[in-house]
Amino acid sequence: MFSKRRLAVGLVCFSFLGLWLMAAEVEPGKMRQRAQKAEKEGNFKIAYDDYRKLALDPKDDPAQVGDDLTHAIQCLRQLNRIDEVDEFRDKVIEAHEANWRLLQTAAKTFLHGDSQGFIVAGKFYRGYRRGEGRYVYTLPRDRQRALQLYVQAMPLAIDDADKNAVSYFFYEFGQAWMHGASGNQAWRLQILTDLKELPDYDDVHWSGSGTSGAAVDAEGNPVYHKVPATFAEAQSDGERWRWTQAQSVAFNPDWKSQIQLEFADFLRQQFDVQSMAQYNWFFRGQNDNEKQTPTYALETLGEDETLAKLATGIKRFKLPDEFNFIKIYQSLAAEAKFDLGRQGLQRLASLFTDRRQYDKAAEYWQKSIAKFGTNHGEREALNQIIKNWGRFDHATVFPAGTGPQLEYVYRNGQRVEFEAWEIKVPQLLDDIKAYMKSSPNQLDWNKVNIQHIGHRLVFEQDLKYLGARAAQWGLDLQPRPNHFDRRVTVTTPLQKAGAYLVTAKMANGNISRIIVWVADTVIAKKQLDKQAWYFVADAVTGKPVPKANVEFFGWKQTQIGNTNKYKITTSNFAENTDADGQIVLGPQRLNQE
């Protein structure tokens, strides 16, 4: 039995222990600093434990808890514990359900986090699980959950006195509606998402069901999205998106120009001529014998109309003022300051270039230069319109003895001079083989990529592979009016097999360059059962080439232990074709590694 004196001593000791424990409790500010330091040093377990404790505390700083949540999730990702994110995040949301800033941040973690997982024994686990369960793609569900959180936060945000923060909240809310619903997925904006229920986890990749062309209504007319009077009156996600944009501007008018630019970009992407980019014949230079019907004559489009690829096909139609991206860009160019005003002018110059209305495009480039200077390539773009300019189109490999024909597109110029220079291909190949045989610690791919030779000659001034001038000739040009492109076929005098650097110098204009390959033989390869079959033929006639010497050069790269050094092993031998131009090699001769 304890005496009263001993009991009193025990109580005193217990009291001191309690005081010591209270003193040992780290206050939130210092705990956050400790977590930040641990995360920076890569101690993610320590950092996560502190961030978790902070975020789950209902008394955590309302302005800081969002960052605590975000950093905690980042730590879980570093620890490969993604499957713990959902349960942790739900608890944080529950603890701070009246904090609209936390709800906003939580929504962003759904939109920009890991959008995949596995169903194992009926339970969802976010992230990758090797060999377990059924894979599911979670973006549709994550997007919907994020939208729920934005809606939950909305009335709380509206009552906040920080109108700039509320404006940005609605801006991000608008971005959430567009998440996974832009580009060829924009048809999804016609849906009115049910925010009361979450969809089941989907095992179909959402982005795989896009449309070719902008959405249309039942009558085949383009679908636009108007601004409803209230959020509740919206008839589609597109109208909800427009409403949130309008709210962002209402709370902070300084956001007006940014919202206008993004809306105009969306409209242009959906309804301008660039929607037909897949039909490249709309945009390439024309030959004299090519004509276009009035419907497809881009240069005749008015500023209130467009020609676009809709879901039902190509259509020329008028643009309502509210959805006329040209008018919106013009408003930006006239009213917006600094970069947004520049972007408005750039967009106008670009879209009128796409429409082949080059005089208007040049006018807007000139306005941009006069108002903002030439920091963004405006001068080069302007010169390509108003000055003598030309370029080569892509060239294939040509057979020897036929004189390769190159496509040249130009505008404004009256005369162009051509030169062709031999490329020392044997020296190039010898240097590549010598470099590989030297077994460098780190392989420089630029030195082994034969197709990179054009870049080395033109941009890196690596002229050691440039040989003698092989040809020189000129051509008189007849440019089209209004700075329109004209395409001509240029027949070169190059007959001998080899590689050539061909330059085209426009009189009082630019220089264009292209690498031309001329071949007198071709090699065909077919993989057989444990063997490889090669056939060498004349590039023009297709007849087999007997007794052709074919050199084989192979290499492989092997890492040396756990270092950042590598060993290059090479194999080099030659064989002659038989009377039928064939070579058959087995694995003993042709190492597949």
Side-chain angles (χ1 to χ4, degrees), residues 382-445:
L382 174 62
N383 288 343
Q384 285 191 7
I385 294 175
I386 65 175
K387 291 192 173 183
N388 299 345
W389 176 85
R391 64 171 174 82
F392 286 111
D393 250 0
H394 175 72
T396 60
V397 178
F398 300 92
T402 60
Q405 293 185 326
L406 306 177
E407 295 294 304
Y408 185 69
V409 181
Y410 70 95
R411 60 175 66 128
N412 304 325
Q414 304 282 338
R415 175 80 179 175
V416 60
E417 300 293 337
F418 297 97
E419 286 186 318
W421 302 81
E422 294 180 354
I423 296 175
K424 301 175 183 178
V425 177
Q427 181 181 338
L428 171 65
L429 296 176
D430 287 342
D431 286 353
I432 291 175
K433 290 187 291 184
Y435 174 70
M436 295 294 240
K437 290 178 179 179
S438 71
S439 190
N441 290 332
Q442 289 285 355
L443 199 61
D444 183 351
W445 292 101

Side-chain angles (χ1 to χ4, degrees), residues 418-422 468-473 492-494 500-503:
F418 297 97
E419 286 186 318
W421 302 81
E422 294 180 354
R469 183 166 60 192
Q472 186 177 17
W473 72 103
T492 73
L494 306 174
Y500 301 88
L501 172 65
V502 180
T503 64

Side-chain angles (χ1 to χ4, degrees), residues 270-287:
Q270 293 290 303
F271 302 125
D272 199 17
V273 299
Q274 65 181 20
S275 64
M276 303 180 299
Q278 67 194 89
Y279 307 107
N280 56 17
W281 50 272
F282 268 101
F283 302 100
R284 67 182 179 88
Q286 288 182 276
N287 290 319

Side-chain angles (χ1 to χ4, degrees), residues 19 226 485 550:
L19 290 172
K226 295 183 177 295
D485 287 349
V550 181

Side-chain angles (χ1 to χ4, degrees), residues 14-31:
F14 182 79
S15 298
F16 275 115
L17 177 62
L19 290 172
W20 180 82
L21 288 173
M22 291 176 63
E25 187 72 25
V26 180
E27 62 97 11
K30 291 184 178 179
M31 183 182 294

Side-chain angles (χ1 to χ4, degrees), residues 213-228:
V216 296
D217 60 20
E219 287 74 39
N221 298 313
V223 173
Y224 304 113
H225 304 288
K226 295 183 177 295
V227 180

Side-chain angles (χ1 to χ4, degrees), residues 45-80:
K45 173 66 169 63
I46 295 173
Y48 171 68
D49 290 341
D50 281 344
Y51 284 131
R52 176 184 174 87
K53 189 171 183 178
L54 288 165
L56 290 174
D57 184 357
K59 297 180 181 180
D60 193 14
D61 185 343
Q64 301 257 27
V65 64
D67 283 342
D68 294 335
L69 169 65
T70 301
H71 283 282
I73 292 175
Q74 290 174 352
C75 289
L76 285 176
R77 185 176 290 111
Q78 292 291 338
L79 293 167
N80 198 26

